[in-house]
Amino acid sequence: MAPLRLGILGSGRGSNFLAISKHIQEADLNAEIAIVLSDKPSVMLEKAHELGLKNEFVDPKRFASRERFDEALVSRLLAAKVDLVVLAGYMRIVSDIFINAFPRHILNIHPSLLPLFKGLHPQQQALDAGVKESGCSVHWVTSELDSGPIVLQKSVPVLPDDTEQSLSARILVEEHTLYSQAISLIAKEMESR
Ligand code: GRF
């Protein structure tokens, strides 16, 4: 079966992108990274460049509105012929223009057990709520933030002396496996359609 073509969008350090890339290199995941886009001149783009992947910083300031910016992203993703859009630490809310261009073909990973702790600082929200376990969720992106159908989840314990940093680090380890597992699952589903 042909490898699934991924378009990856991020804003920062890109550890989930690197984990996906590693799983592809190790043949754990039958996919290829067709393009990496960022709304910031990020570490993620530097890593994509080092890996010889097509990548681009698309500066939101060059566009009159969020919609025009999203159109620019969509045109790049379409030109790269992506099968699946993968948000990996992408810190912008995508508009309906973006969502409608790839219906049920945009994934996100969020560091909580959704539907709990949507939005910013979910790990701190988990600590503030006093829960004994948290985790991460891979879900489809819809127009409501962090609310689309869940593909896979993984839980981790919250320890009594946890800080936002220590809990984030424990969750991130699981994110790095869960995202590729979810993409793999979707690749198989798409193949059998
Ligand atoms: C991850 O915790 C992810 O769940 C969240 O943003 C963070 C991105 O980290 N959406 P990285 O850029 O993949 O290292």
Side-chain angles (χ1 to χ4, degrees), residues 13-16 89 109 111 175:
R13 74 189 156 183
S15 71
N16 275 289
I109 189 160
E175 290 185 41

Side-chain angles (χ1 to χ4, degrees), residues 12-17 88-89 91 108-111 123 172 175:
R13 74 189 156 183
S15 71
N16 275 289
F17 149 66
M91 296 306 288
N108 184 40
I109 189 160
H110 185 76
Q123 303 93 339
L172 193 64
E175 290 185 41

Side-chain angles (χ1 to χ4, degrees), residues 3-43:
L4 202 65
R5 290 177 66 77
L6 308 179
I8 300 197
L9 256 76
S11 302
R13 74 189 156 183
S15 71
N16 275 289
F17 149 66
L18 279 178
I20 292 166
S21 167
K22 187 161 167 277
H23 286 122
I24 293 172
Q25 279 168 16
E26 291 171 354
D28 285 339
L29 175 60
N30 184 25
E32 61 185 295
I33 298 173
I35 190 166
V36 180
L37 296 172
S38 179
D39 62 329
K40 299 223 164 70
S42 55
V43 174

